[in-house]
C-alpha cells in the first residue's frame, strides 16, 4: 500500500517494537517518535538495546522484528529492502567503521553519493566536498588516502561525518559516534550534526555522554532500559542522568 506523507506524518514512528537476536528478545515494546526537525538523544546503560535499535533500523539481517511497527515517512520500514533505505534517506553512522584498503576516500564518497543521490557532476561535487572539508577542518590530502586505512579514531569519525553530510540524509542515526573521542574530534561530530540539522531532517543520537549534548542540544532525551524506553524528557534529563546515573530509573521501572 502506498503511504502518503503529510505534514502530520512523523519522520520515524516506532510503536511497541519487539526485536530478537538469535532467538533472544532484546527490544521489548519500544515506542519512539522522531519528528522532522528534531534531534533525539537515546541513552542507557550498556546492553540496554541501543545498538539493537540502530541495527534494526538499518535492516541488519540478524535482527528480527517479532512484533510492533516501524514507519519511516509513513511507509513500513521493515518492508523496504536494506539497499533502498539509504536511497530513501536513512543513514547509520557506524560505531566501528570498516577499512577499505585500496579505495580512495574521494572515489568512495563519489560512488556512494552516486548510489544514494544519483550522479552529481564533478563540477558540483568538488566545491561541495571542499565546503564540508573546510567546515570540518579536514585537510584536502585526506581525499587521496584509503578509506579508514590506518586512520586514527578521530579521522574515522571525520570520514563518517563527511560521508553523512554529502549524503544529506533525512534520518541520521549515530550509534555512539562520540565514544572515545578527543575534544577536537568530538567538535567535528557535533558540527556535522548541527550542520545537518534542519526542519525536514531528524537525528537519532545514541550516546552515553553529556559532553556531546552540550554541543548538540537535543530536543528530546530518552532512556532505554531492558529493551524499553522508561523515561523521556528534554535536554535537562541528560544532565540529570549525568549526576544521578541510571539506578533511580531502574527502581522506578521495577
Ligand atoms: P547497547 O547498544 O545498549 O549496549 P546492544 O543492543 O548492543 O546494547 O545489546 C543489547 C543486548 O543484546 C545485550 O544484553 C547483549 O548481550 C544482547 N545481544 C546482542 N547480540 C546478541 C546475540 N547474538 N545473542 C544473544 N544476545 C545478544
Ligand atoms: Mg551499543
Amino acid at each position: 500500500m502506498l503511504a502518503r506523507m503529510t505534514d502530520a506524518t512523523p519522520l520515524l514512528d516506532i510503536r511497541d517494537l519487539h526485536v530478537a537476536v538469535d532467538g533472544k528478545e532484546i527490544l521489548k515494546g519500544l515506542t519512539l517518535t522522531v519528528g522532522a526537525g528534531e534531534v533525539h538523544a537515546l541513552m542507557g546503560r550498556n546492553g540496554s538495546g541501543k545498538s539493537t535499535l540502530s541495527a534494526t533500523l538499518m535492516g541488519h539481517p540478524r535482527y528480527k522484528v517479532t512484533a510492533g511497527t516501524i514507519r519511516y515517512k509513513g511507509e513500513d520500514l521493515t518492508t523496504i529492502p536494506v539497499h533502498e533505505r539509504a536511497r530513501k534517506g536513512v543513514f547509520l553512522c557506524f560505531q566501528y567503521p570498516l577499512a577499505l584498503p585500496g579505495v580512495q576516500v574521494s572515489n568512495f564518497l563519489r560512488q556512494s553519493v552516486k548510489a544514494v543521490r544519483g550522479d552529481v557532476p564533478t563540477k558540483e561535487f568538488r566545491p561541495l566536498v571542499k565546503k564540508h572539508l573546510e567546515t570540518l577542518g579536514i585537510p584536502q590530502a585526506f581525499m587521496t588516502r584509503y578509506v579508514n586505512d590506518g586512520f586514527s579514531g578521530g579521522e574515522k569519525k571525520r570520514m563518517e561525518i563527511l560521508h553523512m553530510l554529502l549524503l544529506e540524509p533525512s534520518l541520521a542515526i549515530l550509534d555512539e559516534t562520540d565514544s572515545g573521542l578527543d575534544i577536537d574530534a568530538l567538535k567535528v561530530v557535533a558540527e556535522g550534526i548541527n550542520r545537518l540539522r534542519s526542519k525536514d531532517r531528524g537525528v537519532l543520537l545514541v550516546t552515553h555522554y553529556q559532553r556531546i549534548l552540550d554541543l548538540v542540544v537535543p530536543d528530546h532525551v530518552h532512556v532505554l532500559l531492558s529493551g524499553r524506553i522508561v523515561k523521556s524528557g528534554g535536554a535537562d534529563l541528560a544532565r540529570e542522568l549525568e549526576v544521578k546515573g541510571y539506578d533511580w530509573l531502574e527502581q522506578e521501572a521495577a
Side-chain angles (χ1 to χ4, degrees):
M1 200 178 67
L2 274 179
R4 228 165 54 93
M5 171 110 168
T6 67
D7 283 352
T9 311
L11 192 60
L12 179 68
D13 193 10
I14 305 172
R15 295 205 190 156
D16 193 31
L17 182 68
H18 292 248
V19 171
V21 186
D22 299 337
K24 185 183 167 199
E25 187 171 67
I26 310 289
L27 298 184
K28 302 167 183 168
L30 183 145
T31 294
L32 174 69
T33 306
V34 177
E38 297 172 353
V39 173
H40 289 243
L42 184 64
M43 307 185 78
R45 283 216 171 97
N46 284 329
S48 54
K50 303 182 299 297
S51 294
T52 300
L53 177 63
S54 308
T56 304
L57 292 173
M58 276 327 282
H60 191 297
R62 259 174 94 182
Y63 297 78
K64 307 282 184 220
V65 174
T66 54
T69 55
I70 308 173
R71 304 194 82 80
Y72 169 69
K73 296 185 175 177
E75 214 178 333
D76 180 355
L77 185 71
T78 61
T79 62
I80 302 175
V82 173
H83 63 276
E84 284 291 323
R85 296 187 194 192
R87 279 240 284 261
K88 286 183 179 277
V90 184
F91 178 83
L92 175 66
C93 203
F94 290 103
Q95 197 169 351
Y96 306 107
L98 287 178
L100 301 172
V103 180
Q104 266 186 355
V105 169
S106 56
N107 282 334
F108 172 82
L109 292 173
R110 185 70 198 268
Q111 291 308 318
S112 176
V113 167
K114 189 175 171 183
V116 170
R117 296 177 53 198
D119 207 4
V120 180
T122 310
K123 258 193 350 214
E124 286 169 40
F125 190 70
R126 285 245 170 100
L128 190 64
V129 168
K130 191 161 180 274
K131 184 184 84 178
H132 291 315
L133 289 176
E134 277 165 13
T135 314
L136 299 175
I138 301 174
Q140 183 70 41
F142 193 83
M143 299 301 286
T144 53
R145 292 177 66 186
Y146 294 148
V147 176
N148 291 324
D149 193 25
F151 280 22
S152 69
E155 286 169 338
K156 283 182 185 165
K157 296 301 149 166
R158 284 172 172 82
M159 177 72 210
E160 287 280 292
I161 296 299
L162 177 62
H163 191 192
M164 177 179 83
L165 288 178
L166 287 169
L167 293 185
E168 301 182 0
S170 299
L171 176 67
I173 304 152
L174 297 104
D175 189 359
E176 286 197 42
T177 302
D178 57 324
S179 287
L181 295 187
D182 62 31
I183 189 69
D184 289 334
L186 189 72
K187 279 185 183 156
V188 168
V189 171
E191 177 64 31
I193 299 169
N194 285 329
R195 281 227 139 216
L196 193 73
R197 218 169 174 167
S198 75
K199 64 171 179 31
D200 41 29
R201 302 209 178 112
V203 177
L204 184 61
L205 181 59
V206 176
T207 182
H208 278 295
Y209 305 105
Q210 173 59 38
R211 54 178 205 155
I212 191 157
L213 303 179
D214 287 332
L215 302 171
V216 181
V217 180
D219 301 294
H220 301 274
V221 174
H222 311 276
V223 182
L224 193 58
L225 177 71
S226 309
R228 249 186 236 122
I229 286 173
V230 294
K231 187 103 184 161
S232 294
D236 291 350
L237 176 57
R239 283 188 281 270
E240 197 179 352
L241 292 167
E242 175 109 315
V243 178
K244 291 165 71 178
Y246 293 107
D247 285 350
W248 61 291
L249 288 172
E250 263 165 22
Q251 281 147 24
E252 252 181 36

